[in-house]
Amino acid sequence: MTELQKGRPADTTGRLDREIRVYDYLDNLGIEYMRVDHDPADTMEVCAEIDKVLGSLICKNLFLCNRQKTNFYLLMIPGDKKFKTKELSKQINSARLSFADPEDMLKYLDIEPGSVSVMGLMNDKDNVVQLLVDEDVKNSEFVGCHPCVNTSSLKIKASDIFEKYLPAVGHEPIEVKLLGED
């Protein structure tokens, strides 16, 4: 894992287009961010190590849908909270939530499994995906997220996500309160 860097990488050789588009978008909005490059972050344990370097909230991003696949959701919750489908379903009035297919993730967010991030909403031009944010994420100082790839992670002020980025991408979050208890 490399050390924390300010802003975009100086050399973008070998990086995916979807990652570069995130840096371009954030830079155009004037949003400052810190970045760390690392091996693929495919477990919460690896993410915990990354977040120690970032010094930010571990955020789980889950891409969900209803059974009919007519409603899609991106849920941001703290990494240490357990996700209870029933608890969330009640709050958003949608029964039978499950994880959405990787094809839908790619279609709507231009993201592949393991790289799910609020940054993918910039690719959802038709506002198909509804953002759901746990109150603990919304009230945090910083949010850690992937730039649409799981080999880099960003540290961004939560206020910049909610006051600059989301309005720019045309997504209004719905705040939820998940207890994550049995």
Side-chain angles (χ1 to χ4, degrees):
M1 188 170 339
T2 61
E3 64 209 37
L4 205 52
Q5 306 282 321
K6 185 171 181 169
R8 70 187 308 122
D11 180 11
T12 57
T13 306
R15 295 185 185 258
L16 295 176
D17 209 34
R18 61 174 65 124
E19 178 184 4
I20 304 306
R21 284 195 318 266
V22 170
Y23 302 138
D24 290 344
Y25 206 91
L26 292 174
D27 292 347
N28 287 336
L29 289 174
I31 294 176
E32 291 184 12
Y33 54 95
M34 300 297 288
R35 185 192 89 257
V36 65
D37 296 327
H38 48 74
D39 291 332
D42 45 16
T43 66
M44 285 312 293
E45 291 75 25
V46 173
C47 290
E49 291 302 311
I50 293 165
D51 283 348
K52 282 181 190 171
V53 175
L54 288 178
S56 67
L57 175 76
I58 297 172
C59 190
K60 270 194 281 201
N61 295 275
L62 306 175
F63 188 54
L64 308 166
C65 66
N66 62 355
R67 183 169 42 181
Q68 299 83 7
K69 290 188 175 189
T70 54
N71 296 320
F72 292 89
Y73 306 95
L74 175 61
L75 172 64
M76 297 173 69
I77 62 173
D80 59 358
K81 271 195 185 180
K82 297 223 182 307
F83 169 60
K84 303 286 184 186
T85 309
K86 187 174 170 184
E87 186 181 18
L88 180 61
S89 292
K90 260 190 239 177
Q91 290 184 52
I92 64 170
N93 222 0
S94 178
R96 307 268 188 188
L97 286 176
S98 65
F99 291 100
D101 294 330
E103 297 80 24
D104 292 320
M105 193 182 296
L106 196 58
K107 176 180 176 181
Y108 297 119
L109 301 178
D110 192 24
I111 293 180
E112 295 179 11
S115 303
V116 179
S117 163
V118 66
M119 293 295 122
L121 292 175
M122 65 184 247
N123 301 312
D124 181 24
K125 306 289 187 211
D126 296 325
N127 282 11
V128 173
V129 180
Q130 175 62 60
L131 178 62
L132 307 173
V133 181
D134 182 80
E135 65 180 3
D136 291 338
V137 172
K138 182 110 189 244
N139 296 329
S140 64
E141 185 178 359
F142 292 98
V143 172
C145 63
H146 291 308
C148 295
V149 296
N150 69 354
T151 52
S152 288
S153 294
L154 306 177
K155 176 182 180 177
I156 304 174
K157 285 184 181 174
S159 58
D160 284 342
I161 296 280
F162 295 104
E163 296 166 18
K164 294 179 184 176
Y165 175 77
L166 290 174
V169 298
H171 280 75
E172 182 72 34
I174 293 175
E175 192 171 322
V176 295
K177 182 177 182 166
L178 301 176
L179 301 175
E181 300 170 351
D182 291 326

